[in-house]
Amino acid sequence: MVCTMAFLRALLTSARTFRYGPGLSAGLPSDDAVMLDAPDERLSPALVAAALGDHEPAAKLLATTRDAADWEARDRTLARLVAFARGRDGWLTGWLAASPRDPDALLVKAALAVRHAWESPAHAELLREVGPLITAAAEADPRDPVPWRLALDHARGTHATHTVFESLWEQAVRRSPHHYGSHVSALRYLSAEWYGSHRECFDFAEQAAEDAAGDSLVQALPVRAAFALLRDEEAAARANSVQADRVDAAADLAIRFSAGFPPGDPWPAEVRNLLAYVLVARGRAAEALEQFRLIGPYATSFPWASVTGEALGGFLDARADARLRVASSTPLCGRQEHSGRRGH
């Protein structure tokens, strides 16, 4: 009987998938249309020019973010330029030769050095060597919180004490109280993987989100804490009802944040990718599928590169899994079954 019932469930799942699958694909770009870490319309010309050895568009773009004190856009642009410079840094070398004291060039130089150091098994020693580069970037424009975000990452990797980290944190938030990158760096320092615990991560993330505006990226901080818990298999297995409730509350907050942006908007794409992962992990497949629709073609390396060997493949697999779960929970008569939250 058990085998027969299992076989029957498999047959029903297949039938539901073929019957409702096409409808569930509405609003989902084809696999071939999905792009990983696609640059926005402002960044694309800068990357094309950099590939040709011309630093001017990148310099103008970073200068614009600094002049406007748009620190979130500045940090995000920096991350993309550094990722590009890992394999092609001739444009950066030319930029530094032409303008050795340019605050933007110094920032890219420091961020690239920090990234190279973190990629080495000897990262603690290498990070100590790049400390002066971070200091130079911070002194080049005292208003800018982004070098202090680099300093926070540097402190974590060099095993800085809580006192040292706190002093750097004060410098960062003095310049921008709700700067997302600085908050992410602090969350990593507080993580169970480094110097804190999952409880401390949630406490910090939830309070930060409560203090920030509703459209601030800091609203996504609790769902990053939830992701860290879910990725820690041992901790997730021990998770009690309070922790599970905090994970779901973090997801609910991120859903509200996501709803404030139009579908296919690249700005909240990373938050939506992270949220989709958490929702799938919590068994909230229908809500995850809705986030995949809102994501559109904008897959991001985080979180998928952290959980699979290939980021784009991980995204597509998770999207297909959410679609299959929704299809398999839909009765053949066409009436959606009631689905509450459930973890696994």
Side-chain angles (χ1 to χ4, degrees), residues 64-337:
T64 298
T65 64
R66 182 162 49 86
D67 292 342
D70 189 350
W71 307 125
E72 302 293 4
R74 180 172 180 79
D75 209 356
R76 182 172 294 193
T77 300
L78 174 68
R80 298 304 305 276
L81 291 173
V82 166
F84 183 83
R86 286 176 65 211
R88 299 180 179 181
D89 62 357
W91 61 277
L92 176 58
T93 302
W95 185 6
L96 288 164
S99 306
R101 296 184 180 180
D102 186 320
D104 305 311
L106 290 173
L107 181 61
V108 178
K109 179 181 179 180
L112 181 60
V114 169
R115 177 152 184 170
H116 280 319
W118 268 110
E119 291 171 346
S120 169
H123 63 260
E125 180 179 349
L126 293 176
L127 281 168
R128 292 187 184 96
E129 296 176 3
V130 304
L133 300 181
I134 299 174
T135 301
E139 292 176 347
D141 188 340
R143 303 173 306 141
D144 190 355
V146 181
W148 294 97
R149 191 268 297 167
L150 294 177
L152 292 172
D153 290 338
H154 177 270
R156 173 168 54 92
T158 54
H159 310 295
T161 65
H162 283 29
T163 301
V164 170
F165 193 90
E166 184 178 355
S167 68
L168 297 171
W169 168 252
E170 289 176 355
Q171 293 291 333
V173 297
R174 180 180 302 167
R175 289 161 173 81
S176 181
H178 305 295
H179 179 237
Y180 181 61
S182 297
H183 281 75
V184 170
S185 294
L187 194 72
R188 287 171 174 161
Y189 186 89
L190 291 170
S191 71
E193 183 180 0
W194 286 93
Y195 307 111
S197 66
H198 293 297
R199 179 183 59 79
E200 289 174 296
C201 274
F202 273 112
D203 288 347
F204 173 76
E206 289 165 355
Q207 186 61 60
E210 183 177 334
D211 293 342
D215 60 352
S216 168
L217 285 169
V218 175
Q219 296 296 320
L221 211 61
V223 85
R224 288 190 76 114
F227 172 76
L229 174 64
L230 294 171
R231 287 293 298 146
D232 184 343
E233 295 182 1
E234 184 177 341
R238 297 195 312 267
N240 55 34
S241 59
V242 173
Q243 289 172 310
D245 287 345
R246 292 181 96 168
V247 170
D248 282 323
D252 292 340
L253 180 60
I255 287 172
R256 292 194 293 274
F257 173 80
S258 173
F261 297 87
D265 187 341
W267 179 256
E270 184 178 274
V271 172
R272 284 170 167 167
N273 275 254
L274 176 61
L275 174 58
Y277 174 88
V278 170
L279 290 170
V280 169
R282 289 294 295 153
R284 298 168 62 174
E287 292 164 294
L289 191 61
E290 177 58 23
Q291 291 305 313
F292 281 118
R293 290 194 179 97
L294 293 173
I295 289 166
Y298 295 109
T300 57
S301 290
F302 180 78
W304 310 109
S306 303
V307 297
T308 67
E310 201 274 307
L312 182 56
F315 171 89
L316 295 175
D317 287 346
R319 191 177 70 163
D321 180 58
R323 179 172 167 270
L324 178 61
R325 290 192 195 189
V326 174
S328 65
S329 67
T330 303
L332 286 175
C333 63
R335 179 172 52 85
Q336 181 73 32
E337 293 176 359

